[in-house]
Amino acid sequence: KQEVTQIPAALSVPEGENLVLNCSFTDSAIYNLQWFRQDPGKGLTSLLLIQSSQREQTSGRLNASLDKSSGRSTLYIAASQPGDSATYLCAVDGDTGFQKLVFGTGTRLLVSP
Amino acid sequence: DADVTQTPRNRITKTGKRIMLECSQTKGHDRMYWYRQDPGLGLQLIYYSFDVKDINKGEISDGYSVSRQAQAKFSLSLESAIPNQTALYFCATSEGLGQYFGPGTRLLVL
């Protein structure tokens, strides 16, 4: 059974810092991996999706990498801002491609002005 | 207007009551999903549907049922609510790559 772990569970940084969030998964046979952002009282917003054949994806100040063989993904946030404060979730889709996502427990990020 | 909507947004009910959570989408996606999220835990898949005639159980389907009334509508029912079903419930849709989530329904079962 696929298990997804995110470290750290919580992170507090001053504005402007670059930071890395980690996601690990136990079964390397994945179809893709998604990073989401969750704000209190709101749904999940998809940030980046990396397909199994890809090594990384970039969107603005965000960069996500994927190493399937080691079962790891990282989300890099450059020049963090208070508006980046949220919970970040990673989720993996098994190799069926049916989008039956298995989620990690998330990293709660607080960026202070 | 939001692409994926959920009603109600908040609900308080009592043990033993039947309750229905509704999800509608305007994205035209065939695939729809129901998840629950408990504090400090990730989302867990309850049910999913790939089209109107296709319903599948997820990891934690016991105590829940679903109905796919149309391509755009997917409802989740708790036939007899119990306190450990208190959680945040999310609906999601997919076209096959990536998922799009609704705002969630916060359910409290007393």
Side-chain angles (χ1 to χ4, degrees):
Chain A
K1 179 183 173 183
Q2 178 75 272
E3 292 183 3
V4 180
T5 303
Q6 291 186 245
I7 295 173
L11 182 62
S12 182
V13 300
E15 181 177 7
E17 278 203 5
N18 302 323
L19 56 99
V20 174
L21 307 182
N22 297 292
C23 173
S24 61
F25 45 95
T26 55
D27 186 348
S28 62
I30 67 169
Y31 191 70
N32 60 54
L33 182 146
Q34 272 186 276
W35 281 94
F36 294 89
R37 168 186 173 135
Q38 183 176 18
D39 294 282
K42 296 185 179 180
L44 281 66
T45 301
S46 181
L47 298 173
L48 290 164
L49 183 148
I50 311 177
Q51 297 187 59
S52 61
S53 59
Q54 299 173 323
R55 298 284 290 183
E56 65 179 323
Q57 283 285 327
T58 298
S59 176
R61 294 182 294 107
L62 305 180
N63 176 276
S65 67
L66 175 64
D67 184 342
K68 270 184 58 175
S69 60
S70 68
R72 295 175 187 271
S73 176
T74 61
L75 179 66
Y76 175 81
I77 302 177
S80 59
Q81 303 171 357
D84 295 329
S85 298
T87 296
Y88 291 81
L89 298 164
C90 73
V92 299
D93 181 13
D95 61 356
T96 61
F98 289 157
Q99 280 284 307
K100 291 171 60 180
L101 299 182
V102 178
F103 281 82
T105 54
T107 293
R108 189 167 60 254
L109 173 65
L110 177 63
V111 182
S112 304
Chain B
D1 288 340
D3 295 320
V4 184
T5 58
Q6 293 184 233
T7 56
R9 293 293 313 278
N10 294 280
R11 180 72 183 266
I12 301 174
T13 191
K14 294 182 179 180
T15 297
K17 295 291 187 181
R18 183 179 188 274
I19 182 170
M20 179 181 290
L21 309 182
E22 300 189 357
C23 176
S24 295
Q25 54 115 346
T26 58
K27 299 189 75 67
H29 292 167
D30 286 327
R31 300 180 184 185
M32 297 188 74
Y33 306 78
W34 275 104
Y35 294 89
R36 69 176 274 174
Q37 184 180 36
D38 296 280
L41 299 179
L43 279 71
Q44 295 175 280
L45 183 62
I46 307 173
Y47 270 95
Y48 60 102
S49 169
F50 289 164
D51 64 41
V52 175
K53 296 181 180 180
D54 177 77
I55 303 289
N56 303 280
K57 293 182 178 180
E59 307 171 66
I60 54 165
S61 59
D62 288 348
Y64 301 95
S65 63
V66 292
S67 173
R68 184 80 184 267
Q69 301 96 319
Q71 185 204 39
K73 297 185 182 295
F74 193 34
S75 299
L76 176 72
S77 293
L78 287 68
E79 298 300 327
S80 179
I82 56 176
N84 75 1
Q85 292 179 311
T86 292
L88 186 55
Y89 290 84
F90 287 105
C91 173
T93 73
S94 175
E95 83 284 25
L97 192 65
Q99 287 193 13
Y100 303 86
F101 282 76
T105 293
R106 190 170 298 278
L107 176 65
L108 174 61
V109 183
L110 300 175

